[in-house]
């Protein structure tokens, strides 16, 4: 499962929308900066 909790927290802290983050702020980040992979319950490697 891929979650974007880090991205949503950053946006909430900055008080900005996805449009503003991308277009006006010029935020350019790596995928691993904004998302993480979490194993689903019962999932094997």
């Amino acid at each position: 499962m891929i979650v974007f909790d880090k991205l949503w927290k950053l946006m909430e802290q900055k008080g900005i929308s996805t449009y503003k983050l991308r277009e006006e702020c010029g935020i350019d980040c790596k995928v691993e900066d904004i998302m993480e992979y979490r194993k689903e319950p019962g999932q094997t490697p």
Side-chain angles (χ1 to χ4, degrees), residues 17-27:
S17 66
T18 55
Y19 176 83
K20 186 169 183 171
L21 183 68
R22 183 182 64 249
E23 301 297 327
E24 295 179 21
C25 297
I27 300 295

Side-chain angles (χ1 to χ4, degrees), residues 22-45:
R22 183 182 64 249
E23 301 297 327
E24 295 179 21
C25 297
I27 300 295
D28 184 25
C29 54
K30 297 177 184 174
V31 171
E32 58 269 17
D33 292 339
I34 62 169
M35 67 176 232
E36 65 181 297
Y37 174 78
R38 293 184 189 163
K39 289 184 183 178
E40 293 188 38
Q43 182 181 9
T44 57

